[in-house]
Amino acid sequence: MSKCLWCIKEAEGGKPLVPDQKRECPECGLIFKGNGWDGIDSHWKSKHEHRVPYKQFWQGLLSCKAEHHKTFKQAMLSRTPQS
């Protein structure tokens, strides 16, 4: 299973991915202007594919227990008890 690069970055003492802020590339720090991770696929494939294949990078985010793949709103909704 792939590991989440944000979890690795945070464990190494790097800047945490903060809810309610724009998403940032864990490799180079580019801040995405869209909603959540919009644009990460084309950015990653053109800039970082040689380091970690995009599929492996994205699978790491999707398997992340810290929910780094979600937008802040999605993360909050998943934590709110449904009535």
Side-chain angles (χ1 to χ4, degrees):
M1 182 185 296
S2 300
K3 291 187 178 183
C4 172
L5 290 182
W6 265 111
C7 288
I8 293 168
K9 184 175 182 175
E10 289 177 357
E12 293 172 349
K15 179 179 168 185
L17 183 62
V18 180
D20 218 14
Q21 290 186 0
K22 294 286 186 182
R23 293 295 188 234
E24 179 181 325
C25 176
E27 189 65 21
C28 70
L30 175 78
I31 297 173
F32 296 97
K33 295 178 180 158
N35 180 30
W37 289 108
D38 289 353
I40 185 67
D41 53 347
S42 60
H43 168 76
W44 192 271
K45 289 173 183 175
S46 68
K47 306 289 184 188
H48 310 300
E49 185 77 15
H50 65 281
R51 183 185 168 323
V52 175
Y54 175 76
K55 185 176 180 180
Q56 182 180 344
F57 160 72
W58 192 246
Q59 286 175 342
L61 279 179
L62 292 178
S63 67
C64 173
K65 289 184 172 67
E67 299 181 332
H68 287 134
H69 66 285
K70 293 184 176 184
T71 64
F72 177 69
K73 184 177 180 181
Q74 289 172 320
M76 292 297 99
L77 288 173
S78 69
R79 293 180 187 149
T80 303
Q82 302 297 317
S83 48

